[in-house]
Amino acid sequence: MLIKLQLLSLAVLLSAILTAAETSYKVGVGRADCTGPAAEITFMGYAKANQKGCGIHLRQFSRAFIFNNGKNLMTFVTVDACMMNHPLKQAVIDKLEALIPKTFTLQNTIISGSHTHSTPGGWLKDVMYDFPNLGFVQESFDALVDGIVRSIEKAYKNQVDAQLYMNSGILLDSNINRSPAAYAYNPTTEQNKYEYNVDKDLVQLKIVRAKDDVPIGVINWFAVHPTSMNNTNCLIHSDNVGYASILLESSMEPDSLPGKTSFVGAFASTNLGDTSPNLKDPICIDTGKPCDYTHSTCDGKNEFCIAFGPGNDMVESTEIIATNLFKKGKELLESTNSTEISGELRFIHRFIHMPSQTATYTLSNGTTINVHGCRAAMGYGFAAGTTDGPGEFDFTQATTTSNAFWNIVRDFIFPPTKEDAECHAPKPILIMSGAIQVPYEWQPSTVSIQMFQIGQFFITAVPGEFTTMSGRRLREAVANEITSNGGPNNPKVVIAGLSNVYTNYIATPEEYQLQRYEGASTIYGPYTLPIYIQRYKELTKALISNTPITDDSEPYKFPNNLMSLVPPVIFDASGWWNNYGDCIVQPKESYTIGDIASATFVAGHPRNDNMQEKTFLNIEMQQKDATWKVVATDADWETKFIWKRQETFKPISQAEIQWKITKKVNPGTYRITHFGNYKYIFGGIYPYSGTSNSFTVST
């Protein structure tokens, strides 16, 4: 009897130890500069070939979070970039393998793009996505890889015992639905389940260091497009979510410069497909009248229908939305009502070939039908753009009929088959991208689906932009699958948008019928969402049951030599009478609060060095001992680094540095310093610096 009791006690003790091990987490946080080439590279997002970089307002950062229970290690990364794609993720994993062997894989790493539209493009490799950049841009690709790898390295080295908490709260006046006409196509009974036609919940995962209960990081998810900065902007910018991250991090460590805090606070993308931060209703900028509700046109033309706000210009609007995000994130961070997370760490990943996928879908009348995917294709409504950034030519949203002229152009390059047209109906196909492999893949056919379990918190990584209702359906399906397969009760499911692979949009089958921008950009046909829901349900079941799942396809392998028509920097010149770094326009002798101090320097091309973890500028304040202290860099909201050629085809260039003097600036003596690199005509890249005259700031 005694032996039985001892064995029972030992079993109970062993169970308690195993349970404690499951709920004991080591967590690491890391942030790194991943800023790309700051000039003459087209931005990714609005697909405007003439929207090329001309400097920096906010730097790009990669923020990494590692979760480790001794049995499984998982990494979530959110990057100030428009999206993510497989070749870049694979490059990150390959580089990490050389640095930290047998630790990071495609399966245990999620990389999610924040979806800012104001960062250098040309790095996705797929022809369709790099076309506005005139092909592949190695500089953009390398900058992101280097920054992401450094952020993960830092997080790996920074692992500490930690507790995890989850919380959420309603955030108003920060997003609207930019395609309400399409949203209204969803079943009325489904719409009635929700108060708003966009998600208003901001969800937070908080990381607290165990030894002293100090927060070391948070990840926030909120459904808003980072398109406060519009397609006229030419300064690298992480937009509303990026600035919200900087505000949150700086609030935790006010004495640190932006990007230098040990606390890492991220605002990551989720199901933002049909959301917009531009809160004022779209208007016809030529007349001031409201746009057509269904087509977003003005007298039949889309280019004049634009949404603005809530500020008077894009910079003020960015600041307002970012501040709203920051305040809600800080409120949740400081809340005592968070729920502690405990339980398993698990991950699962699968590659699937979307055109060959099948599923079932129940129509609103109760009929269940068999559905299948299509080869990738873009519709006419895609070319119309959105009210955040209209497209070109005579395309309009909500177009379900084709045009003879554009069909001739299409058929000359990539004619769709009868089966393609029937599969995508009612989408009129403009670009049959899934049929083209010249010079290589135009859009992905094989996609990545992935999930993380962190106790009762589940991160569902999706390869594109799910609309509001698409995201709601996916979250509900995953949550039901978790509980029905013996997973945690009341699981919290978040969608990590634009993760691992980019496949444009995922609208509901009902929204797809109208063919607004989101539906026209749903590239695998009208039943893309039901297919994803069925595959994610299978993924969830395998995750909860700890059952392996096999890939049904492999990602496309790009050739080593990719097409690029982007001219390199040939050489720089300073002119006959100047040296690099000379301040040719000095600041005024004195400024007051609200002024903008500025100085202009003879400069080299910013593409000579992205200055990652460094800066193109310093704002310096003179101290009592006559030394100078850096009070701002090009990662600060108040500064702008603006580069321009003196003449279009000449190698002489200038850098203007602006500093907005706000109420938080102390009176005193200041100066502006510029750093850069120039390319010598006979080879070699060399650093230079220059400093302005000093000036005073008074209240």
Side-chain angles (χ1 to χ4, degrees):
M1 183 66 178
L2 181 60
I3 294 174
K4 287 183 178 180
L5 287 173
Q6 288 174 330
L7 289 173
L8 181 62
S9 299
L10 183 61
V12 172
L13 179 61
L14 183 60
S15 176
I17 291 171
L18 290 173
T19 301
E22 285 180 0
T23 58
S24 176
Y25 305 122
K26 281 191 177 296
V27 182
V29 300
R31 177 193 51 253
D33 187 345
C34 63
T35 305
E40 297 187 327
I41 299 296
T42 300
F43 286 168
M44 179 61 192
Y46 291 112
K48 294 280 188 180
N50 62 350
Q51 191 193 4
K52 295 182 178 181
C54 69
I56 297 174
H57 188 186
L58 289 179
R59 280 192 166 265
Q60 297 171 255
F61 290 102
S62 171
R63 294 174 172 87
F65 303 82
I66 288 178
F67 305 93
N68 186 356
N69 66 354
K71 182 171 66 174
N72 286 324
L73 178 147
M74 313 183 309
T75 305
F76 178 81
V77 185
T78 175
V79 189
D80 290 333
C82 194
M83 64 281 288
M84 192 44 54
N85 215 8
H86 174 73
L88 195 142
K89 182 181 178 182
Q90 184 66 66
V92 167
I93 298 301
D94 292 344
K95 196 167 184 178
L96 285 167
E97 179 62 24
L99 297 168
I100 311 170
K102 299 180 180 179
T103 305
F104 301 97
T105 66
L106 294 174
Q107 289 70 34
N108 71 0
T109 305
I110 294 172
I111 307 180
S112 172
S114 72
H115 205 40
T116 171
H117 285 43
S118 293
T119 56
W123 52 266
L124 285 102
K125 295 195 176 183
D126 290 283
V127 174
M128 185 76 188
Y129 304 137
D130 287 349
F131 188 80
N133 290 81
L134 301 179
F136 181 66
V137 181
Q138 189 72 52
E139 300 159 66
S140 298
F141 186 90
D142 292 343
L144 286 171
V145 170
D146 291 346
I148 293 169
V149 167
R150 282 199 310 276
S151 70
I152 295 173
E153 278 189 288
K154 290 179 181 180
Y156 186 76
K157 293 175 182 177
N158 291 341
Q159 291 179 81
V160 296
D161 292 326
Q163 277 94 41
L164 302 176
Y165 299 88
M166 61 181 181
N167 204 347
S168 64
I170 298 296
L171 175 58
L172 302 177
D173 301 322
S174 300
N175 64 348
I176 62 169
N177 194 307
R178 70 185 185 192
S179 286
Y183 180 89
Y185 270 52
N186 292 306
T188 303
T189 53
E190 184 178 36
Q191 294 181 54
N192 290 341
K193 291 164 58 178
Y194 304 98
E195 186 175 356
Y196 303 102
N197 63 1
V198 289
D199 288 337
K200 300 290 186 179
D201 275 357
L202 188 148
V203 179
Q204 184 178 93
L205 174 61
K206 179 169 65 174
I207 304 158
V208 177
R209 190 166 54 217
K211 71 175 183 180
D212 53 12
D213 289 331
V214 172
I216 60 172
V218 294
I219 312 172
N220 302 281
W221 287 271
F222 183 75
V224 64
H225 249 83
T227 49
S228 292
M229 299 298 294
N230 63 40
N231 59 23
T232 65
N233 171 53
C234 66
L235 299 177
I236 287 178
H237 208 298
S238 53
D239 215 287
N240 46 46
V241 292
Y243 185 36
S245 297
I246 290 171
L247 287 171
L248 184 58
E249 291 168 343
S250 297
S251 76
M252 300 299 289
E253 297 174 31
D255 294 331
S256 297
L257 292 169
K260 303 298 181 183
T261 62
S262 59
F263 178 88
V264 179
F267 286 82
S269 63
T270 182
N271 57 316
L272 49 68
D274 53 358
T275 70
S276 172
N278 298 307
L279 305 185
K280 299 176 183 177
D281 289 334
I283 61 168
C284 298
I285 59 174
D286 55 340
T287 65
K289 296 179 180 179
C291 303
D292 177 86
Y293 180 75
T294 301
H295 299 89
S296 296
T297 55
C298 304
D299 292 328
K301 297 181 179 181
N302 76 302
E303 60 264 36
F304 297 117
C305 178
I306 302 177
F308 297 97
N312 293 317
D313 57 42
M314 62 181 173
V315 175
E316 184 181 11
S317 294
T318 303
E319 186 172 21
I320 291 170
I321 299 299
T323 302
N324 291 348
L325 291 166
F326 153 65
K327 287 181 177 178
K328 178 56 68 172
K330 189 66 179 290
E331 175 191 319
L332 295 176
L333 176 61
E334 295 176 342
S335 171
T336 58
N337 295 324
S338 298
T339 300
E340 185 167 6
I341 294 171
S342 62
E344 287 267 17
L345 290 184
R346 292 192 181 119
F347 57 86
I348 195 165
H349 175 280
R350 190 185 185 202
F351 286 117
I352 60 173
H353 184 255
M354 279 300 290
S356 60
Q357 298 301 305
T358 60
T360 59
Y361 183 62
T362 302
L363 302 174
S364 56
N365 62 9
T367 303
T368 298
I369 59 173
N370 296 318
V371 299
H372 58 86
C374 311
R375 294 197 297 175
M378 307 294 286
Y380 275 57
F382 147 77
T386 73
T387 53
D388 291 336
E392 308 286 358
F393 304 108
D394 57 350
F395 297 102
T396 62
Q397 296 194 66
T399 296
T400 54
T401 57
S402 60
N403 174 283
F405 171 77
W406 289 113
N407 282 356
I408 291 172
V409 174
R410 175 200 67 195
D411 292 347
F412 181 75
I413 307 171
F414 30 63
T417 65
K418 179 183 177 183
E419 291 76 14
D420 290 326
E422 290 174 349
C423 190
H424 280 277
K427 175 199 292 178
I429 296 173
L430 179 64
I431 303 174
M432 193 58 225
S433 49
I436 320 170
Q437 298 283 307
V438 179
Y440 36 83
E441 180 184 76
W442 277 52
Q443 282 183 301
S445 293
T446 296
V447 306
S448 162
I449 59 174
Q450 189 173 15
M451 288 182 65
F452 281 0
Q453 178 186 359
I454 307 172
Q456 68 271 43
F457 194 90
F458 291 80
I459 301 175
T460 305
V462 300
E465 304 177 55
F466 276 56
T467 63
T468 299
M469 195 62 85
S470 292
R472 288 167 173 172
R473 290 183 192 178
L474 180 62
R475 287 197 303 262
E476 183 178 18
V478 168
N480 289 338
E481 199 70 17
I482 291 167
T483 54
S484 63
N485 283 280
N489 293 323
N490 301 314
K492 186 66 177 179
V493 179
V494 298
I495 290 173
L498 302 116
S499 295
N500 304 330
V501 177
Y502 184 61
T503 63
N504 294 80
Y505 283 73
I506 300 89
T508 69
E510 294 83 4
E511 293 164 349
Y512 185 93
Q513 301 305 305
L514 184 58
Q515 282 296 292
R516 279 184 60 85
Y517 179 81
E518 295 79 17
S521 304
T522 298
I523 65 175
Y524 303 119
Y527 300 107
T528 301
L529 177 62
I531 290 169
Y532 273 129
I533 288 176
Q534 196 149 324
R535 296 295 89 84
Y536 275 100
K537 287 172 69 175
E538 295 164 358
L539 202 68
T540 303
K541 184 176 181 179
L543 176 71
I544 296 299
S545 62
N546 209 22
T547 303
I549 194 166
T550 58
D551 298 331
D552 75 4
S553 183
E554 291 184 356
Y556 179 84
K557 289 181 172 59
F558 287 86
N560 292 328
N561 297 317
L562 300 175
M563 177 187 69
S564 181
L565 299 177
V566 179
V569 177
I570 306 299
F571 67 93
D572 291 300
S574 59
W576 288 110
W577 314 113
N578 295 316
N579 295 311
Y580 295 104
D582 284 355
C583 187
I584 54 177
V585 179
Q586 294 285 353
K588 295 191 302 184
E589 292 184 359
S590 63
Y591 295 93
T592 59
I593 303 302
D595 289 342
I596 295 177
S598 67
T600 302
F601 298 84
V602 177
H605 202 296
R607 285 171 59 191
N608 294 327
D609 186 339
N610 295 329
M611 304 289 278
Q612 288 190 355
E613 309 296 353
K614 295 181 285 186
T615 179
F616 285 103
L617 69 91
N618 279 342
I619 307 298
E620 301 168 1
M621 181 181 184
Q622 191 171 38
Q623 306 298 292
K624 291 181 179 179
D625 60 359
T627 60
W628 294 88
K629 177 184 178 182
V630 177
V631 296
T633 69
D634 62 9
D636 279 82
W637 175 259
E638 292 78 17
T639 64
K640 291 180 180 178
F641 166 67
I642 305 170
W643 178 89
K644 62 181 178 181
R645 290 186 182 274
Q646 191 168 321
E647 293 183 29
T648 302
F649 296 107
K650 288 190 176 181
I652 302 173
S653 60
Q654 299 175 353
E656 180 186 359
I657 294 170
Q658 297 181 356
W659 178 43
K660 185 175 182 179
I661 302 169
T662 63
K663 293 179 180 178
K664 69 180 183 181
V665 174
N666 293 319
T669 301
Y670 292 82
R671 68 183 187 185
I672 299 172
T673 299
H674 166 52
F675 304 93
N677 292 265
Y678 68 90
K679 190 170 187 178
Y680 188 45
I681 189 170
F682 295 115
I685 294 175
Y686 303 94
Y688 69 86
S689 63
T691 302
S692 74
N693 295 338
S694 60
F695 55 91
T696 60
V697 172
S698 59
T699 55

